[in-house]
Structures are given as structure tokens and as C-alpha cells.
Amino acid sequence: MILEWYFALGLLISLVVGQMMLGVPVAIAFMAANLLCAYLFMGDTFAFYQVVDNSTSLITRFQLAPVPFFILMGALFFYSGIAQRVFTTLDLLLGRIPGRLCFLTVGGGALFSTLTGSSMANTAMLGSMMVPEMERRGYHWRMSLGPILGTGGLAMIIPPSTLGVLLATVAGLDVGRFLIAGILPGLVLGLLYTLVIVGQVWRNPSYAPQYEVAPVPLSEKLWAALVNLVPMGFVVFMVVGLILLGIATPTESAAFGVLSILILMAAFRVLSYRALHDALLSTVKIGGMVFFIILNSSIFSQLLAYSGASSGMLRFAASFDVNTVTVLLFMFIALLFLGMFMDPVSMILITTPIFFPLAQTLGINPLWFGLFVLICLEMSQTTPPFGLLLYVMLGVAPKGTTLRKVAIAAAPYLGCDAILIVVMYVFPSLVLYLPSLL
């Protein structure tokens, strides 16, 4: 069946979105839409054989190999208890700094996001660990909820980012360069979050009341840092450093990252059968889901191209005389809107076949645009009323916490994300400098 490009585009997207609004799982929604549209567009049951034939090559690409490794890294880091050791040490080092628990959240969360790559896991862990302690110490809810929601999103852009690998793979970007591109923007974002906390404590000291902290000798602090924090640098080097030095591919560095976590588990004497079992089981569950989604999204992209929807949409967009900033603004609004009822993976799968070719037509650097999309995804997850991270936080927050409180606490950190996008646009080298060294 031959359809006009806009009918084909509308049919594909409405079938997926409609099913998800009815509660159908993302992967199943894509699979059903793919099979139905393949039959309609090709007009023969041969279409089903074509879909199956393409599926094998789609999920056996070498570029996807880092995904299960990064998932396993995060699972090992969590189930081994090493995450708790890191937070305890950072807490020891901060001493009596005003708002110390907020800074602990940003520092520990940034490090945890570097080693896990999962924003949901990051937010859930920080919320369950830090919010009860902040509440006990008399912290205002703005100070206890806000930094966690902000820092939880750092996992999306600081490598290794599982979502970054997925986006790079679907968009056809160099995975290693794309991961490295997120380092400097991630550090800038962490700095902006820190400035927000300093400003809030300065304006309202009662928001983060000081309390007595038992004095700890400098020698004990240095020893704790040496034992519990310095080894984390070893993991970061194995994952990021080997890529920067050109010694390893992203897949090889991800494997080295898993090896480094296993070495630390053995050194800390937490390498147990139980920890390995739980980590591997979690990896298989999450990895299987991700690969099934990638398979169906890739077929979705092929159908967009086969039906002429991709080329038709590009011709339509190019017919308008608008500048790059206007197009980016429309994309920004669209991603925030989709974030109201979709998870980041679904948004990547639907928007990438449309947005990336359009950005390329406008001459936007693909690495820069990929990071722009990731930051928009992060913002969409903390944008009311349906941001996913807002509900993750509600799930671990104290009883009586409302969505309104969570959204208000997140607002300053959404502002930081918006500032980062503007800085990236004015100074694109913030994104492109490190990848240029590879």
C-alpha cells in the first residue's frame, strides 16, 4: 500500500503512542506497530520474513556490546555495598560544612552516576539513603529533595551512560566519542548544582541547620579517602581513561570496567556468590529488555525510511525559512512534552529517526546535538506533571511528600540544565574539545 509520507508517519507514531497510553509495554507496542505497518506498506506476508531477517543483524552489532557491561557495572557497584562505603567516606571528609548533606548528595551522586549510568537507580539510591537522614537533621524539603533529583539526572550525560550508548547506537554516532563528549558538560552541570545549594543555604540558613559532628583526625580522613575513594579513580580510568588514551574501544573499556569492579570487590572482601548472583540476574533482566527495545526501534526506523516518511518530513521541515535556534527550541519543547507520558528509551526510539536527520540538514554537529537531546531527556524526567524521576522520588520520599513539593524542589536544577544548554550553544567546544583529542 502506497501512502503519503504524512499518513505513514502519523500511522506509525500513533500506533506506538496509542498502545503505550493503553499501558502496553514499550517493546510490545513497537513490535505490534512494526508488524502491522510492514504488512500494510509491503502488501504481502513476505514483510514478516523481512522483519525477522533484519532483526538478527540489528541486535548483533558490535557497538551495542558496552550496554550489558555498563549495566553489570552498576549492579555490581550497588549489590556489593561499595556504594555505601563511598558515601560514608565522603560524609567523613565534608566535616561541618553548612549544607554538608546536600554537597554529599551532589558529590556522591556524580561519582555513583559515573559508575552506574542509570538515572533511575541513581535517584532511587540517593533518595533512600539521603532523604531520611536529611529529614532527621532538620533539612528543609527543598534541600533534601532537590539535589537528589538534579544529581540523579547526571547519570544521563556523565560516562558511562547506558542511555548515551543507546542514543549513539540508534543515531549512528561513534559511541566512544559521544561518551567522552559528556564529561565536561557533566562537570559544569555538577558545578551549577553546587552553586544552587550554596545560594539556597546563604539565603536561608535554616534550610540546612548545622549539627554537631564528631571531630575526626586528619590522618583518619586521609586513610579513608585512600582506601575507599582513590580506588574509584581506578574504575573511572579503566572506563574513560582507556578510551581517551586510544588504548581501548568503548566495548573493551566497558569490559575492563567490570573487571575493575570485580577486583575492588575482591580487595574489599565483598566478592560473594550472592552479590554476583543478584548483579547478573539484574543485568540479564534489564539488558534483555533494552536489546528487545533496540531491535524493534531499529525496524521502526527502517519502516520510516521505506514508507518515505523520513525524507518527506525532512523536505517539509526544510521548506520553512527558520533559523537553527528556532528549530532547537521546537525540538526542546517536543521532548519535554513527550516526557510527560514516555520514558527516555521510548523518546529516543521515536525522535531519533526524525530529529537527527533534520539536525544534520541544518548543519548541527551530531555529537553536540546528541548531548543536547540527552539533557532534554534529563529535564523531561523531572518536569511535572508526569516526569518519571519525580515519581521515583515520591516512591522513596517520606510519607506526606506531594508531587507539588517534589516539582518545586526540582525547579532550580531544571534551571541549571537550561543554562547548560545555552552555554553549550555559545561555547560548543565544551562538548567537542575532548572528542577532538581522540
Side-chain angles (χ1 to χ4, degrees):
M1 179 188 297
I2 300 177
L3 296 175
E4 293 290 342
W5 69 267
Y6 41 84
F7 284 127
L9 178 65
L11 179 62
L12 279 163
I13 293 179
S14 61
L15 280 173
V16 173
V17 174
Q19 290 180 84
M20 286 193 291
M21 291 178 68
L22 293 174
V24 178
V26 176
I28 303 300
F30 270 97
M31 182 176 69
N34 289 336
L35 292 174
L36 177 59
C37 289
Y39 179 78
L40 291 176
F41 295 159
M42 298 180 186
D44 197 308
T45 53
F46 171 76
F48 300 141
Y49 296 102
Q50 189 67 43
V51 168
V52 173
D53 186 53
N54 288 354
S55 301
T56 305
S57 60
L58 291 173
I59 59 172
T60 55
R61 288 177 289 182
F62 185 70
Q63 297 94 323
L64 288 176
V67 173
F69 284 122
F70 287 155
I71 296 173
L72 180 57
M73 278 182 62
L76 289 171
F77 188 64
F78 181 78
Y79 287 107
S80 65
I82 295 178
Q84 183 63 53
R85 298 174 67 109
V86 170
F87 271 89
T88 302
T89 304
L90 289 174
D91 189 32
L92 193 69
L93 294 176
L94 287 174
R96 296 189 61 188
I97 298 175
R100 62 194 291 270
L101 294 180
C102 297
F103 292 113
L104 173 61
T105 298
V106 173
L111 179 59
F112 184 63
S113 67
T114 303
L115 299 176
T116 63
S118 170
S119 57
M120 288 186 63
N122 214 15
T123 302
M125 190 203 74
L126 291 173
S128 58
M129 287 177 58
M130 301 304 299
V131 172
E133 178 67 12
M134 289 185 183
E135 189 180 47
R136 188 171 71 86
R137 296 294 184 180
Y139 275 60
H140 193 273
W141 53 266
R142 291 176 186 265
M143 305 299 293
S144 62
L145 303 178
I148 296 173
L149 285 165
T151 308
L154 280 173
M156 286 195 182
I157 59 177
I158 293 182
S161 167
T162 305
L163 205 65
V165 174
L166 174 61
L167 177 61
T169 303
V170 175
L173 305 178
D174 184 291
V175 175
R177 291 179 183 273
F178 186 58
L179 290 177
I180 296 302
I183 294 178
L184 292 181
L187 294 176
V188 170
L189 191 58
L191 177 61
L192 290 173
Y193 290 167
T194 303
L195 292 177
V196 166
I197 295 170
V198 171
Q200 288 179 325
V201 173
W202 176 73
R203 289 186 60 188
N204 300 284
S206 62
Y207 276 16
Q210 294 197 47
Y211 53 91
E212 287 300 319
V213 178
V216 178
L218 179 61
S219 59
E220 187 175 334
K221 290 184 178 181
L222 293 176
W223 176 251
L226 180 65
V227 172
N228 296 319
L229 293 186
V230 173
M232 298 304 106
F234 169 62
V235 180
V236 174
F237 171 77
M238 294 290 272
V239 176
V240 179
L242 294 181
I243 298 177
L244 274 175
L245 295 174
I247 298 175
T249 65
T251 300
E252 293 164 346
S253 68
F256 278 121
V258 173
L259 176 63
S260 64
I261 293 286
L262 290 173
I263 292 173
L264 290 187
M265 290 173 65
F268 290 143
R269 297 182 179 180
V270 292
L271 183 58
S272 64
Y273 170 79
R274 184 68 182 176
L276 291 175
H277 174 272
D278 291 345
L280 288 171
L281 185 62
S282 175
T283 302
V284 170
K285 289 180 178 178
I286 298 173
M289 176 193 67
V290 170
F291 273 82
F292 190 52
I293 291 174
I294 291 174
L295 182 153
N296 284 289
S297 71
S298 300
I299 297 174
F300 182 83
S301 300
Q302 291 180 352
L303 287 173
L304 282 175
Y306 179 83
S307 65
S310 298
S311 57
M313 181 271 305
L314 290 176
R315 289 194 303 271
F316 177 74
S319 65
F320 292 94
D321 186 18
V322 293
N323 56 36
T324 303
V325 175
T326 303
V327 175
L328 289 175
L329 182 60
F330 276 116
M331 291 180 178
F332 174 78
I333 294 172
L335 289 169
L336 289 188
F337 174 74
L338 289 175
M340 291 183 180
F341 53 91
M342 285 187 187
D343 61 278
V345 174
S346 306
M347 294 165 65
I348 286 176
L349 305 183
I350 287 180
T351 60
T352 297
I354 300 172
F355 284 1
F356 272 83
L358 181 57
Q360 187 175 7
T361 302
L362 295 172
I364 301 174
N365 184 283
L367 291 178
W368 186 97
F369 184 71
L371 206 64
F372 165 80
V373 170
L374 276 186
I375 296 173
C376 292
L377 291 175
E378 176 197 339
M379 295 181 70
S380 74
Q381 298 308 289
T382 48
T383 302
F386 302 115
L388 189 61
L389 293 184
L390 298 179
Y391 290 93
V392 173
M393 176 56 69
L394 275 178
V396 297
K399 188 176 181 180
T401 303
T402 63
L403 180 62
R404 179 177 177 275
K405 283 186 176 181
V406 175
I408 291 174
Y413 299 91
L414 287 174
C416 292
D417 297 333
I419 291 173
L420 177 61
I421 291 177
V422 173
V423 172
M424 283 170 45
Y425 184 79
V426 177
F427 304 103
S429 58
L430 182 69
V431 177
L432 304 178
Y433 175 69
L434 288 182
S436 70
L437 299 179
L438 296 181

